[in-house]
Amino acid sequence: MSESGPPSGGASDVPEVVVEKGRGLSPIWLIPIVALIVAGYLAYEAIQERGPQVVVLFESAEGLEAGKSKVKYREVVVGTVDLVQIHDPKHVAVHCSLDKRTTPYLTESTRFWAVRPRVGGGNISGLGTLISGAYLTFEPGNPDDPPVREFTGLENPPLPADEAPGLRIVLRTDHLGGLDTGAPVFFRDIHVGDVVGWKLSKDGSEVEVKVAIGSSHSHLVRSSSRFWNAGGVEVSLGPGGLDVKTESLRSILAGGVAFDSPGGEPAKAGDTFRLYNSRAAVLKASTARTPGGLHLVLETGMLGGIAEGNAVYYREVPVGSVVSHELARDGSRVRVKVNIERRYASLVRSTSVFWNAGGISANLGLHGLRIHTESLKALLAGGVAFATPPKKLGQAVKAGTVFQLHPEPKDDWLEWQGKYSAGKRKEETKQAEVEDEAGAGEEAGDEAGQEEPEPAEDEAGQEDSEPSEDKEDKGFLRGIFDRGD
Amino acid sequence: MSAAVTATQAGLIRCGSCEKLSRARPLPPGARARCPRCGAVLWRRKPSSLTRSWALLIAAIICYVPANVYPVMEVGGPGGSEADTILSGVQAMFAMGWYPVGLLIFFASITVPILKILSLMGILISVQRRSHWRPRDRAVLYRVVEIVGRWSMLDMFVVSVMVALVQLGVVANVAPRIGATFFAAVVVLTIFAAQSLDPRLVWDAMEEER
């Protein structure tokens, strides 16, 4: 059979084939079997992985697309939107298939919402959704609650969970004042937290602003912390010139909250603080509230431009403030409540006289023109000044003591100024406050070691005041023009 | 049919590799013949043509399901990634108004494989049933299936070129998905199924009639 020759027409010359034993079932059937196994495994896996189907109702399906939009949990895709259809005239139903691992968390307390690009209050979130389109996300429910497959979606993202890291506190304020979710919270101009949400109080009388302070800064919030609205630019025209205050560029645009912490216990989560409208309001309030400050009542015939927050001057140094003013019950006079800071309280004696320091008093007398004003600030804003006669000190006063508030000072009252010290220690304190003023050092020198003022002191003091007038740049602010031309 | 005697009728067999004509003789079941000159296995018709064709065709049909259900390609962009099945890809093309491209992909990836599978099934069944129905048309159909088969790979070319070219990291990247594997399997299996089917079987039924 191995013989082979050229085929020669007749079939008889052609050699026979070689015969070999067969091998049974064709191995080709392995191919469909393998295909079946692989495809079967995939199908099995798909069925195994098939998670719960849920329906979420929304008022609008803006940005949600069937087959494309995802359901994410902490930025991990855990499902897809399969179908978006109208549920009833006011709602759309978004059908989603979720990962089976989400099953235990789909309970009554689960909350779904859509994440869309949000631009507002200087806070831009969900930027990725500008390109990818909106997606759904949810807050896992308590696994112990009864499982649910139909949910009503939230129209707005819920406030971050309270168990998230950081300190959460609540600020109460009358007006939201431009604050929005995401507005920064500053401590000494450092961004330490954010506004995470706000809502009206139940009776609508206040706004409750929720604030989260980063955990690394949460110790800064103390029981005495004072919060104020730091949004925008605060421009004040004062004796020191034009003063522009802002926390940061971002707070100009987005609003913001700032706080300081004079001391006290560290705050706990959920503590409530007052949110003041401005830093000035904080200072005003804190002066009024300073414990131990000396509260006095001044009675006067007319208010004469005095307003809440005006300063109380002693030797042109603000030592307290006007807390409030009211008409006496019978309407016969005005009661102005002032608070003298504790460290200056001993300056007020039973013989002290108070007068309205607002405005300018001009006297044309024998000595020529005399113009008096307490300070530029007092001139603009009004204020109260007091002096104590150096000769008769009188008693230290108790809180609530009533004084007369005179509409304008008498000449000799002004002369008392600068000639009295309530004691050496107080004088030093005051000296620190007034050391800018010419002659202050000399005054202190003259009075050093003298516990009780003496008549001779009067003249010496007058002489002392002479050189100070040479400094004309300070002269105006010193407030006393006493030229005998 | 032709008046001439066929090689089979003459008891002759042609070697597939060296073209030598040899004389056939009855074989015991399961045995096979070898070429006396080159030693290649000889067959009168392609060996176990129907069995192989059927096996490959069934495997192709099985693979056809995941090829269409699972995504073939995943396109990732800055906003996340999106996996497309063949059909959703075609849908996307139509949605974007790229009708020619959409039609091309639809034709090459969905119509052709289905027609190929159906054609092969038709030929196989007709051969098994020794059908006399339009043998010439069936022969033409077979040739078309064999020629068109490789064009179904168009899709695979698209996917492999895209995967290779579009690797721009976060901006855009394309990755193949399991559907592509199955789709490639469908194409390859149908090509082999067509190849292992011996078109002469169509005519054998006609010859037997004589």
Side-chain angles (χ1 to χ4, degrees), chain A residues 208-229:
Chain A
E208 292 176 4
V209 181
K210 276 197 174 182
V211 166
I213 307 290
S215 42
S216 57
H217 293 108
S218 56
H219 63 277
L220 296 172
V221 184
R222 296 185 168 263
S223 56
S224 67
S225 288
R226 299 171 301 184
F227 291 78
W228 65 90
N229 191 330

Side-chain angles (χ1 to χ4, degrees), chain A residues 110-167:
Chain A
T110 310
R111 295 187 292 178
F112 278 86
W113 68 95
V115 178
R116 304 186 172 98
R118 278 168 59 89
V119 180
N123 172 40
I124 299 173
S125 70
L127 207 56
T129 58
L130 276 178
I131 298 154
S132 67
Y135 61 88
L136 288 188
T137 190
F138 64 96
E139 194 181 87
N142 186 347
D144 300 333
D145 290 348
V148 173
R149 290 292 174 268
E150 192 169 312
F151 303 90
T152 302
L154 305 176
E155 295 305 314
N156 289 307
L159 300 181
D162 285 341
E163 63 265 28
L167 176 71

Side-chain angles (χ1 to χ4, degrees), chain A residues 1-7 14-15 17, chain B residues 13-23 33-43:
Chain A
M1 307 250 195
S2 57
E3 178 63 81
S4 68
V14 180
V17 298
Chain B
I13 192 163
R14 181 181 59 93
C15 170
S17 72
C18 73
E19 305 285 329
K20 174 163 176 58
L21 204 61
S22 29
R23 198 153 34 85
R34 286 194 180 273
C35 172
R37 179 164 65 182
C38 69
V41 176
L42 292 179
W43 57 75

Side-chain angles (χ1 to χ4, degrees), chain B residues 187-207:
Chain B
V187 176
V188 170
L189 287 170
T190 48
I191 288 175
F192 284 162
Q195 220 141 56
S196 42
L197 175 62
D198 197 326
R200 286 178 291 184
L201 290 170
V202 173
W203 303 106
D204 284 349
M206 314 303 289
E207 300 294 338

